[in-house]
Amino acid sequence: MNMMKKMILGAVVLPLSFASASAFAAGGSHHEGGMKGGEGMHGSKCMMKANKKAFKDLDLTDAQEDQFDAMRDARKAEHKAKKGHKRQPTAEMKADHQAMQDLMLADNFDEQAVRSLAEKMSERQIDRRVEMMKKRHEMMNILTPEQKTEFKANQDKYIADCAK
Protein backbone atom coordinates (compact mmCIF):
# COMPACT_ATOMS: atom_id res chain seq x y z
CA MET A 1 0.00 0.00 0.00
CA ASN A 2 1.53 3.28 -0.99
CA MET A 3 2.03 6.13 1.46
CA MET A 4 -0.83 8.28 0.14
CA LYS A 5 -3.38 5.49 0.60
CA LYS A 6 -2.10 4.88 4.12
CA MET A 7 -2.47 8.55 4.99
CA ILE A 8 -6.03 8.71 3.60
CA LEU A 9 -6.94 5.51 5.41
CA GLY A 10 -5.47 6.89 8.63
CA ALA A 11 -7.34 10.17 8.19
CA VAL A 12 -10.62 8.27 7.88
CA VAL A 13 -10.12 5.46 10.40
CA LEU A 14 -8.47 7.41 13.22
CA PRO A 15 -11.37 9.83 13.89
CA LEU A 16 -13.87 6.98 13.64
CA SER A 17 -11.83 4.95 16.13
CA PHE A 18 -11.76 7.82 18.60
CA ALA A 19 -15.50 8.37 18.18
CA SER A 20 -16.19 4.68 18.81
CA ALA A 21 -13.89 4.58 21.81
CA SER A 22 -15.49 7.66 23.36
CA ALA A 23 -18.97 6.21 22.75
CA PHE A 24 -17.99 3.00 24.53
CA ALA A 25 -16.37 4.95 27.35
CA ALA A 26 -19.59 6.92 27.79
CA GLY A 27 -21.59 3.72 27.97
CA GLY A 28 -22.91 4.00 24.43
CA SER A 29 -25.69 6.35 25.50
CA HIS A 30 -26.58 9.44 23.48
CA HIS A 31 -27.66 11.46 26.48
CA GLU A 32 -26.92 11.71 30.14
CA GLY A 33 -28.78 9.16 32.21
CA GLY A 34 -29.18 6.79 29.25
CA MET A 35 -30.46 3.27 29.57
CA LYS A 36 -28.23 0.70 31.18
CA GLY A 37 -26.35 -1.65 28.95
CA GLY A 38 -25.35 1.04 26.46
CA GLU A 39 -27.97 -0.04 23.96
CA GLY A 40 -27.87 3.22 22.01
CA MET A 41 -30.34 5.56 20.36
CA HIS A 42 -32.60 2.92 18.87
CA GLY A 43 -33.89 2.01 22.31
CA SER A 44 -32.70 -0.68 24.56
CA LYS A 45 -33.73 -4.29 24.66
CA CYS A 46 -35.05 -3.49 28.10
CA MET A 47 -37.31 -0.80 26.63
CA MET A 48 -38.69 -3.22 24.05
CA LYS A 49 -39.34 -5.77 26.79
CA ALA A 50 -41.04 -3.06 28.86
CA ASN A 51 -43.45 -2.33 26.03
CA LYS A 52 -44.14 -6.02 25.50
CA LYS A 53 -44.77 -6.60 29.22
CA ALA A 54 -46.98 -3.51 29.43
CA PHE A 55 -49.20 -4.99 26.71
CA LYS A 56 -49.27 -8.46 28.28
CA ASP A 57 -50.48 -7.02 31.58
CA LEU A 58 -53.61 -5.65 29.93
CA ASP A 59 -56.89 -7.54 30.14
CA LEU A 60 -57.81 -7.65 26.47
CA THR A 61 -61.18 -8.79 25.17
CA ASP A 62 -61.39 -11.65 22.69
CA ALA A 63 -62.27 -9.15 19.96
CA GLN A 64 -59.18 -7.06 20.77
CA GLU A 65 -56.97 -10.14 20.76
CA ASP A 66 -58.43 -11.11 17.37
CA GLN A 67 -57.60 -7.63 16.05
CA PHE A 68 -54.02 -7.89 17.32
CA ASP A 69 -53.73 -11.38 15.81
CA ALA A 70 -54.95 -10.06 12.45
CA MET A 71 -52.40 -7.22 12.59
CA ARG A 72 -49.63 -9.65 13.48
CA ASP A 73 -50.64 -12.01 10.66
CA ALA A 74 -50.67 -9.13 8.18
CA ARG A 75 -47.23 -8.02 9.35
CA LYS A 76 -45.93 -11.60 9.03
CA ALA A 77 -47.30 -11.83 5.49
CA GLU A 78 -45.66 -8.50 4.69
CA HIS A 79 -42.31 -9.75 6.01
CA LYS A 80 -42.69 -13.06 4.18
CA ALA A 81 -43.28 -11.20 0.90
CA LYS A 82 -40.03 -9.28 1.51
CA LYS A 83 -38.12 -12.39 2.61
CA GLY A 84 -35.57 -12.28 -0.22
CA HIS A 85 -34.95 -8.59 0.42
CA LYS A 86 -33.87 -8.85 4.05
CA ARG A 87 -31.59 -5.96 4.88
CA GLN A 88 -30.12 -5.97 1.40
CA PRO A 89 -28.97 -2.47 0.50
CA THR A 90 -30.93 -1.10 -2.38
CA ALA A 91 -29.18 0.29 -5.41
CA GLU A 92 -30.16 3.74 -4.16
CA MET A 93 -28.56 3.14 -0.75
CA LYS A 94 -25.40 1.85 -2.42
CA ALA A 95 -25.29 4.91 -4.64
CA ASP A 96 -25.70 7.17 -1.59
CA HIS A 97 -22.90 5.36 0.21
CA GLN A 98 -20.64 5.74 -2.82
CA ALA A 99 -21.55 9.43 -3.03
CA MET A 100 -20.60 9.83 0.67
CA GLN A 101 -17.27 8.17 -0.01
CA ASP A 102 -16.65 10.38 -3.03
CA LEU A 103 -17.50 13.53 -1.08
CA MET A 104 -15.29 12.47 1.81
CA LEU A 105 -12.32 11.79 -0.44
CA ALA A 106 -12.78 14.84 -2.68
CA ASP A 107 -10.01 17.44 -2.81
CA ASN A 108 -12.40 20.20 -1.67
CA PHE A 109 -15.25 19.93 0.81
CA ASP A 110 -18.61 20.60 -0.88
CA GLU A 111 -20.90 21.45 2.02
CA GLN A 112 -23.95 21.91 -0.19
CA ALA A 113 -23.52 18.47 -1.76
CA VAL A 114 -23.08 16.88 1.68
CA ARG A 115 -26.18 18.66 3.01
CA SER A 116 -28.21 17.61 -0.01
CA LEU A 117 -27.15 13.98 0.36
CA ALA A 118 -27.77 14.02 4.12
CA GLU A 119 -31.25 15.48 3.63
CA LYS A 120 -32.08 12.83 1.04
CA MET A 121 -30.95 10.05 3.38
CA SER A 122 -32.76 11.61 6.34
CA GLU A 123 -35.98 11.78 4.36
CA ARG A 124 -35.93 8.00 3.83
CA GLN A 125 -35.30 7.49 7.56
CA ILE A 126 -38.23 9.78 8.36
CA ASP A 127 -40.48 7.80 6.02
CA ARG A 128 -39.54 4.55 7.79
CA ARG A 129 -40.21 6.09 11.22
CA VAL A 130 -43.58 7.48 10.11
CA GLU A 131 -44.60 4.04 8.84
CA MET A 132 -43.51 2.44 12.12
CA MET A 133 -45.44 4.98 14.20
CA LYS A 134 -48.51 4.52 11.99
CA LYS A 135 -48.50 0.80 12.81
CA ARG A 136 -48.02 1.47 16.53
CA HIS A 137 -50.84 4.01 16.45
CA GLU A 138 -53.14 1.41 14.88
CA MET A 139 -52.26 -0.98 17.70
CA MET A 140 -52.93 1.59 20.39
CA ASN A 141 -56.30 2.48 18.86
CA ILE A 142 -57.49 -1.06 19.51
CA LEU A 143 -57.29 -0.29 23.23
CA THR A 144 -60.01 1.45 25.22
CA PRO A 145 -59.13 4.76 26.94
CA GLU A 146 -58.88 2.91 30.26
CA GLN A 147 -56.55 0.31 28.75
CA LYS A 148 -54.40 3.06 27.26
CA THR A 149 -54.07 4.62 30.71
CA GLU A 150 -53.21 1.24 32.20
CA PHE A 151 -50.73 0.56 29.40
CA LYS A 152 -48.99 3.89 30.04
CA ALA A 153 -48.77 3.15 33.77
CA ASN A 154 -47.40 -0.35 33.10
CA GLN A 155 -44.94 1.02 30.58
CA ASP A 156 -43.70 3.68 33.01
CA LYS A 157 -43.22 1.03 35.70
CA TYR A 158 -41.20 -1.27 33.44
CA ILE A 159 -39.17 1.59 31.95
CA ALA A 160 -38.26 2.70 35.49
CA ASP A 161 -36.92 -0.82 36.03
CA CYS A 162 -34.70 -0.36 32.95
CA ALA A 163 -33.08 2.73 34.47
CA LYS A 164 -31.96 0.82 37.56
Side-chain angles (χ1 to χ4, degrees), residues 15 22 62 67 72 75 86 105 114 117 121 124 140 143 158 163:
S22 65
D62 290 339
Q67 286 178 294
R72 185 176 53 248
R75 204 167 38 250
K86 265 190 180 173
L105 296 173
V114 172
L117 181 60
M121 294 169 74
R124 279 199 305 269
M140 293 306 291
L143 303 178
Y158 290 121

Side-chain angles (χ1 to χ4, degrees), residues 57-135:
D57 287 349
L58 297 177
D59 188 24
L60 301 174
T61 66
D62 290 339
Q64 287 173 319
E65 288 182 9
D66 290 343
Q67 286 178 294
F68 280 119
D69 289 343
M71 287 179 77
R72 185 176 53 248
D73 291 344
R75 204 167 38 250
K76 280 184 181 179
E78 201 177 300
H79 286 293
K80 201 172 200 175
K82 294 180 182 178
K83 190 172 185 172
H85 306 288
K86 265 190 180 173
R87 298 233 180 223
Q88 295 298 320
T90 64
E92 192 173 320
M93 289 171 67
K94 286 181 180 179
D96 289 346
H97 180 73
Q98 185 59 50
M100 280 193 305
Q101 294 298 316
D102 293 345
L103 288 167
M104 184 174 56
L105 296 173
D107 291 335
N108 297 316
F109 183 72
D110 184 353
E111 184 172 344
Q112 186 55 42
V114 172
R115 284 185 183 280
S116 176
L117 181 60
E119 287 172 4
K120 177 181 163 189
M121 294 169 74
S122 294
E123 196 62 38
R124 279 199 305 269
Q125 176 67 19
I126 290 168
D127 291 343
R128 285 190 298 269
R129 293 228 180 233
V130 168
E131 188 60 33
M132 178 184 69
M133 289 303 296
K134 182 178 177 184
K135 289 177 182 178

Side-chain angles (χ1 to χ4, degrees), residues 47-60 68 136 139-140 143-159:
M47 289 283 288
M48 289 188 294
K49 286 181 184 178
N51 287 335
K52 199 177 234 184
K53 286 180 183 180
F55 256 110
K56 284 188 177 186
D57 287 349
L58 297 177
D59 188 24
L60 301 174
F68 280 119
R136 288 182 181 179
M139 289 175 62
M140 293 306 291
L143 303 178
T144 65
E146 295 82 19
Q147 288 172 324
K148 287 179 183 180
T149 302
E150 184 182 351
F151 172 81
K152 181 66 177 140
N154 291 344
Q155 186 183 43
D156 290 344
K157 179 179 75 174
Y158 290 121
I159 287 172

Side-chain angles (χ1 to χ4, degrees), residues 22-34:
S22 65
F24 284 117
S29 178
H30 287 290
H31 53 83
E32 194 170 320

Side-chain angles (χ1 to χ4, degrees), residues 12-24:
V12 171
V13 172
L14 193 60
L16 293 175
S17 300
F18 286 137
S20 298
S22 65
F24 284 117

